[in-house]
Amino acid sequence: MHELALAEGVLQLIEQSASREKFSKVLAVWLEVGDLAGVEPEAMRFCFDAVVRGSVADSARLEIVATPGAGWCMQCGRTVALAQLYGSCPDCGTHEVQVTGGTELRVRELEVG
């Protein structure tokens, strides 16, 4: 379950922000997760809740914002929606698609108290 390592990384970012910005409590975290990032949202929620216990983010609400997959087709020159990594172009069927979105995992926003 790589979501545990990802949740630990998110906590590290939160703790670094808390130290830098001088806040002591995180109420909510908005986490942007791409549809092609290979992250299971429910597993991420479970791991996040476990990892933040006793930290500045203890009991923080995790809001996951899904980002759709997107790619640029080298054959037809269009930006297309992608449902899976290494998928084919829905317009022309080729597999020559360069992923341009949907692989991200980033902390978008923190609500602090």
Side-chain angles (χ1 to χ4, degrees), residues 53-67:
R53 287 189 189 127
S55 75
V56 67
D58 194 357
S59 301
R61 185 177 79 251
L62 179 63
E63 299 288 340
I64 295 179
V65 180
T67 304

Side-chain angles (χ1 to χ4, degrees), residues 19-30:
S19 176
R20 185 178 58 249
E21 303 297 327
K22 309 290 188 237
F23 58 83
S24 59
K25 183 75 177 159
V26 176
L27 304 173
V29 178
W30 280 265

Side-chain angles (χ1 to χ4, degrees), residues 63-81:
E63 299 288 340
I64 295 179
V65 180
T67 304
W72 182 76
C73 179
M74 294 180 221
Q75 272 305 319
C76 61
R78 294 183 184 155
T79 298
V80 296

Side-chain angles (χ1 to χ4, degrees), residues 10-12 14-15 20 23 26 28 34 36 55 57-58 65 84 99 103-104 106 110 112:
V10 169
L11 178 59
Q12 281 183 331
I14 292 169
E15 288 176 336
R20 185 178 58 249
F23 58 83
V26 176
L36 306 177
S55 75
D58 194 357
V65 180
Q84 62 183 1
V99 175
T103 59
E104 47 278 304
R106 69 175 68 108
L110 298 175
V112 300

